[in-house]
Amino acid sequence: LRLSDADTRLCEILGIESNSVQGCPFEQFLPDESKTDFRRAVTHALRDGSHETSITLQNGDGSYVFVADMQLRRLAAYTILIQVVDSTRARRIEGSIRSLARETAPLTGQAFFDSVTELLAEATGMRIAFVGRRIANDRIRTISVWDDARGGRVDDFEYELKGSPCETVVANDPCFFCDSVCRRFPEDAL
């Protein structure tokens, strides 16, 4: 199976120029142990019209390997559309959550919360993680605080909800801020 086209993100991941993708064998981006599974997926897609699988891909020089969710759809007799989604990050997060559940399951009380904050900081790559409890309509008191820069567990503290990211969470709206947190919440001392 040879590529006729690929989007720029896939070319970037695979380490190839988008203008050189035409005619390139797709299997060159598969480690040997994935080639049989890929051929089986192509056979299913040709026979059944579509097939979904997870597969390991590597870039041209083999230096970057990642797990991808792949959907193959037959468009014509011998034409298959392959959609690839790099799911490495999602799988890493899923593994971290399982690890967190496994490691905290036997713990209770303060040991549980201390372990949760440490594992959350580690899993998310954040310097600080904490668990808090609402003590008034507008205040939170932390139960456990982890700060890598200060060597681990640090003293608990109280803070105002108003103007903090936690104000959104307490209002039952999940949120995620990947950058510019200080700019978005200038009143928040954290």
Side-chain angles (χ1 to χ4, degrees):
L1 184 65
R2 297 189 176 277
L3 295 172
S4 61
D5 195 11
D7 73 0
T8 54
R9 176 66 182 131
L10 182 61
C11 290
E12 189 178 290
I13 290 170
L14 296 177
I16 58 174
E17 296 292 325
S18 57
N19 60 356
S20 67
V21 73
Q22 193 163 11
C24 199
F26 190 78
E27 285 191 15
Q28 84 179 45
F29 303 108
L30 301 172
D32 290 338
E33 62 272 11
S34 294
K35 290 179 181 178
T36 301
D37 290 339
F38 176 71
R39 289 180 193 127
R40 192 175 301 126
V42 169
T43 301
H44 285 292
L46 287 172
R47 184 189 67 214
D48 303 333
S50 68
H51 186 73
E52 290 184 28
T53 188
S54 289
I55 199 157
T56 301
L57 296 171
Q58 64 188 10
N59 65 358
D61 65 7
S63 63
Y64 177 65
V65 177
F66 64 99
V67 177
D69 292 328
M70 183 183 304
Q71 182 179 28
L72 299 94
R73 283 188 300 150
R74 184 183 66 220
L75 300 180
Y78 291 99
T79 304
I80 296 177
L81 172 66
I82 302 173
Q83 293 175 302
V84 176
V85 177
D86 183 352
S87 56
T88 306
R89 183 172 185 266
R91 290 172 193 264
R92 187 184 75 241
I93 291 169
E94 181 181 315
S96 295
I97 291 169
R98 285 188 180 155
S99 174
L100 184 124
R102 184 176 50 254
E103 292 184 35
T104 59
L107 303 174
T108 59
Q110 192 63 46
F112 170 81
F113 291 111
D114 291 346
S115 184
V116 164
T117 55
E118 179 181 1
L119 291 168
L120 279 174
E122 181 182 306
T124 59
M126 303 311 272
R127 193 189 97 211
I128 298 173
F130 61 86
V131 175
R133 173 182 18 212
R134 196 172 188 177
I135 57 172
N137 271 351
D138 59 351
R139 295 197 62 77
I140 296 286
R141 171 138 181 83
T142 61
I143 297 169
S144 180
V145 183
W146 182 268
D147 186 340
D148 270 343
R150 292 172 42 195
R153 174 88 167 91
V154 296
D155 292 338
D156 291 320
F157 57 90
E158 288 184 23
Y159 66 97
E160 295 284 331
L161 272 174
K162 185 173 177 20
S164 76
C166 298
E167 184 177 30
T168 305
V169 175
V170 170
N172 293 320
D173 289 331
C175 60
F176 173 74
F177 304 102
C178 60
D179 60 22
S180 306
V181 176
C182 293
R183 185 178 51 77
R184 292 175 197 218
F185 301 95
E187 297 173 29
D188 188 14
L190 291 176

